[in-house]
């Protein structure tokens, strides 16, 4: 104990940027700002031009300004992010039952509408990222996004910096190299779209399956079908520290790489796990259909099958494990490999994968529903009577498409060269 030494904190230096208070921003070697984020000198000047309403809003949020998520390349209020996720997931996971129940839509139409809504919602961050990186800066964009419902403001996306307009100079060699680096990302981005399609299923068909099963807990309590989504989130929360504290050290001892495995290896592992997830989901759905047939409930769609909802829990857990690798890996990859000035766009590309995946799932479900339903429209893969539907076929199709995605992903990932020598 007497010989123990306290390690000194890494030295900080002022690099000419300012924070959201107009004070000099101190950065570490990793270029992350602790307790806030840096604004460029130009953004500092723009802050002085901020409308009074925006300044007032920023003043209101000042008590919460120290609540930031350090793992992101820019500050983000924790409370705001948590509340937004709660609201989004609550709507997403219950919407299919509302559309197919209260509004009387068919299962296929309800699933397509949920995918359409989720797709458009998750594509919007690309607009916000463009505004943040090109005009307003991240802090003001977060504030304005919070006020978006009552103050339409985000109408100046993709605006070039003023200096580039005024100087009229051609792009530098560094600009060209950064553009090439961004272009190299798009094959990887394209190969990840299959993940977006698969990730749309828990909030639609998984939830519909749960409505047909026994969800009782004890003699007098029934959990909602959408409540099963919590197992996916809990899996991620539980496994993140296990991944960092156990998996990474073991992998590091084998690969001799600081992070254990590369970011693309992490994404590829997650895609492989999604294949297993969909195969397992197909087997569970097959068991559900067999149970409905054994108890002569095929033509009783509103009857509760004598099969516990716990059968669905493993596939939600598998989804959580897959998310731990794929979703987190993609965020790390696109955030890190984008130029520093446009990392917000890199993060938004991950949302774009989910958004376009939902739209593709909507298109896929609509086409399959029309092709397989025949003239009657009742006996297709997505029949309103799930006991006569064939979600197991659909899950097998998704497993096949994900396998194809993995092959394409491995092809592009094998030849990808990271644009920073310090990144593995």
């Amino acid at each position: 104990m007497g010989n123990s030494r306290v390690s000194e904190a890494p030295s900080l230096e002022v690099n000419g940027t300012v924070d959201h208070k107009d004070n000099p921003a101190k950065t570490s070697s990793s270029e992350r700002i602790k307790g806030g984020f840096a604004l460029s000198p130009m953004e500092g000047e723009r802050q002085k031009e901020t409308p009074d309403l925006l300044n007032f809003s920023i003043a209101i949020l000042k008590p919460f300004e120290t609540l930031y998520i350090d793992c992101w390349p820019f500050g983000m209020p924790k409370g705001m992010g948590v509340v937004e996720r709660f609201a989004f997931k609550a709507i997403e996971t219950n919407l299919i039952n509302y559309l197919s129940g209260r509004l009387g839509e068919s299962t296929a139409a309800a699933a397509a509408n949920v995918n359409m809504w989720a797709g458009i919602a998750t594509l919007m961050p690309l607009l916000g990222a463009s505004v943040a990186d090109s005009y307003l800066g991240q802090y003001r964009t977060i504030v304005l996004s919070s006020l978006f419902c009552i103050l339409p403001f985000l109408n100046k996306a993709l605006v070039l910096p003023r200096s580039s307009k005024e100087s009229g100079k051609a792009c530098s060699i560094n600009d060209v190299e950064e553009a090439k680096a961004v272009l190299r990302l798009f094959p990887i981005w394209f190969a990840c779209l299959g993940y977006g399609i698969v990730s749309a299923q828990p909030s639609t068909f998984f939830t519909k399956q749960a409505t047909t099963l026994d969800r009782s807990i004890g003699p007098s309590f029934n959990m909602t079908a959408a409540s099963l989504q919590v197992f996916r989130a809990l899996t991620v929360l539980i496994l993140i520290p296990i991944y960092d504290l156990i998996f990474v050290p073991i992998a590091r001892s084998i690969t001799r790489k600081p992070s254990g495995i590369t970011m693309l290896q992490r994404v590829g592992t997650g895609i492989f796990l999604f294949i297993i997830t969909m195969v397992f989901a197909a087997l569970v759905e097959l068991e559900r259909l067999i149970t409905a047939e054994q108890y002569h409930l095929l033509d009783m769609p509103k009857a509760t099958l004598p099969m516990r909802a716990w059968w669905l829990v493993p596939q939600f857990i598998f989804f959580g494990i897959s998310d731990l690798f794929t979703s987190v890996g993609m965020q790390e990859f696109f955030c890190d490999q984008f130029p520093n000035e446009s990392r917000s766009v890199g993060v938004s590309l991950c949302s774009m994968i989910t958004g376009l995946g939902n739209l593709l799932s909507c298109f896929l479900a609509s086409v399959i529903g029309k092709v397989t339903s025949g003239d009657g429209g009742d006996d297709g893969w997505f029949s309103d009577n799930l006991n006569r539907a064939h979600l197991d076929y659909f899950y097998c199709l998704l497993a096949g498409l994900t396998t194809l995605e993995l092959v394409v992903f491995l092809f592009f990932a094998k030849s990808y060269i990271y644009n920073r020598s310090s990144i593995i």
Side-chain angles (χ1 to χ4, degrees), residues 219-241:
S220 59
F221 179 76
N222 283 332
M223 62 179 176
T224 63
S227 298
L228 291 174
Q229 302 283 340
V230 73
F231 290 100
R232 179 182 180 183
L234 285 177
T235 300
V236 176
L237 291 176
I238 293 172
L239 290 184
I240 283 179

Side-chain angles (χ1 to χ4, degrees), residues 149-163:
C149 292
I150 58 174
L151 180 61
F153 190 85
L154 302 180
N155 59 354
K156 295 185 179 181
L158 298 176
V159 179
L160 293 175
R162 296 179 188 175
S163 59

Side-chain angles (χ1 to χ4, degrees), residues 53-58 61 80 138-148:
L53 177 60
L54 183 55
N55 285 327
F56 176 73
S57 302
I58 293 176
L61 292 178
M80 187 180 299
Q138 289 107 358
Y139 186 74
R140 294 171 197 77
T141 304
I142 291 174
V143 175
L144 288 172
S145 298
S146 303
L147 300 173
F148 181 72

Side-chain angles (χ1 to χ4, degrees), residues 39 42 125-126 142 148 177 243 257 306 331 335 372 405-406:
L39 300 177
M42 182 176 296
L126 184 63
I142 291 174
F148 181 72
E177 292 301 320
Y243 178 90
K257 296 177 180 178
Q331 290 178 8
C335 170
T372 61
E405 173 200 4
L406 180 60

